[in-house]
Amino acid sequence: MVTYDFSGKVAFVTGAAHGQGRSHAQHYARHGADVVVTDVSGDVESVPYDLGTEDELNETASMVEDEGQEALAIGMDVRKEDEVKSAVEEAVDHFGRIDILANNAGIVTISDMTEMDEAMWDEMIDTNLKGVWLCAKHVGQHFIERGGGGKIVSTSSTNGLIGSPGNGHYVAAKHGVIGLTKTLALELAEYDVNVNAVCPTVVNTPMITGMAEAYGEEVLADIGELTGPMNVFQPEDPGIESSDISEAFLWLSSDAARYVTGIALPIDAGTSAK
């Protein structure tokens, strides 16, 4: 494991109740950062599986503290600007600063584009794209006002690089995250802020488990038949671990990547090599 030093820094992690967000929070803490963990407390109507709960968010905060760092848990819906603004202000009031935004919150649902209802489309775009923008907007404003730079790392997907049947709204949102990342990288460069995206393949998280339970275990295999393997190393069991994605977040958040900005880094087990 590579060692980083985030001592004295504060990471703001969205979607931290479980899955990748929880892993990112733990990894930042393990390397010396205090961590603000945020998540929505409640489900989204179009999503047929359970999202993170307040208890799970508090459990993530406890895991940060187990690493010897301070945690602040805040319930926040990334779709609502007043909640995002309030959470950023609370974090700054509590810690005095934010240094890293891990823009991770997201959902996934399945429907053909010609059959999808408008609510499913809106909830996807609001969560996976608008939410990324709102968090980057308000943490970015803090970076500008505070001075001294900052890091924004957002979760896109291999579906931000390629098409995929059955979830065009997700594909559109994740492509949008990459466009947003490139634009923010240019706009915030003068303030010494690095802005990057990570593009994971299938990751073993409660979201993927919930999706399989809701839509059937064969859903990933059906998509893979059209797009090709989601993991060229283990096509029959494509899932990788959250920690694999966290390592990319750490690197992009560190001084080792000080001249890296505006990229979409695939952590995709060869998915985009085809």
Side-chain angles (χ1 to χ4, degrees):
M1 182 177 65
V2 179
T3 299
Y4 300 99
D5 185 6
F6 294 117
S7 300
K9 295 189 180 297
V10 177
F12 187 104
V13 183
T14 70
H18 54 213
Q20 293 182 52
R22 170 175 285 183
S23 176
H24 301 342
Q26 288 180 285
H27 277 72
Y28 283 122
R30 194 167 298 151
H31 293 272
D34 295 324
V35 187
V36 183
V37 294
T38 74
D39 214 319
V40 64
S41 296
D43 292 334
V44 174
E45 185 174 351
S46 66
V47 178
Y49 53 85
D50 293 334
L51 301 181
T53 66
E54 183 177 357
D55 286 344
E56 287 178 308
L57 186 63
N58 289 331
E59 185 178 358
T60 300
S62 296
M63 291 175 175
V64 169
E65 292 167 350
D66 289 343
E67 298 289 346
Q69 299 303 129
E70 187 175 356
L72 174 65
I74 304 175
M76 183 189 78
D77 187 337
V78 296
R79 300 172 297 173
K80 299 178 180 178
E81 184 164 17
D82 59 339
E83 293 191 18
V84 174
K85 182 175 185 291
S86 176
V88 171
E89 290 174 347
E90 183 178 349
V92 172
D93 287 345
H94 185 87
F95 286 113
R97 62 188 297 128
I98 297 170
D99 300 279
I100 300 161
L101 169 61
N103 228 347
N104 168 77
I107 59 174
V108 63
T109 49
I110 301 293
S111 177
D112 288 344
M113 296 299 293
T114 54
E115 299 176 0
M116 183 181 302
D117 63 41
E118 187 176 6
M120 179 178 283
W121 171 273
D122 287 345
E123 287 174 346
M124 175 63 67
I125 300 300
D126 282 353
T127 303
N128 287 21
L129 183 55
K130 177 184 173 183
V132 171
W133 163 61
L134 287 176
C135 293
K137 172 183 176 179
H138 288 281
V139 175
Q141 287 175 353
H142 168 66
F143 289 159
I144 292 169
E145 293 165 3
R146 189 202 70 208
K151 309 285 187 180
I152 299 174
V153 186
S154 299
T155 303
S156 180
S157 168
T158 54
N159 284 343
L161 303 170
I162 62 174
S164 178
N167 58 349
H169 55 334
Y170 183 83
V171 171
K174 293 303 188 179
H175 273 71
V177 168
I178 293 175
L180 178 63
T181 294
K182 291 179 179 293
T183 301
L184 284 168
L186 298 175
E187 292 182 351
L188 295 178
E190 67 177 290
Y191 304 103
D192 199 24
V193 176
N194 301 70
V195 188
N196 293 291
V198 171
C199 299
T201 186
V202 178
V203 183
N204 294 321
T205 64
M207 183 174 80
I208 296 300
T209 301
M211 186 176 75
E213 291 175 351
Y215 297 109
E217 293 285 348
E218 69 280 359
V219 65
L220 293 179
D222 291 344
I223 292 172
E225 286 183 6
L226 292 173
T227 62
M230 298 178 208
N231 184 331
V232 299
F233 299 108
Q234 47 194 50
E236 301 305 317
D237 183 20
I240 65 176
E241 300 307 317
S242 293
S243 58
D244 296 311
I245 314 305
S246 296
E247 290 293 335
F249 268 74
L250 291 178
W251 178 66
L252 290 170
S253 302
S254 75
D255 290 338
R258 64 188 180 278
Y259 291 124
V260 179
T261 198
I263 72 164
L265 177 64
I267 311 296
D268 68 352
T271 300
S272 59
K274 300 184 294 296

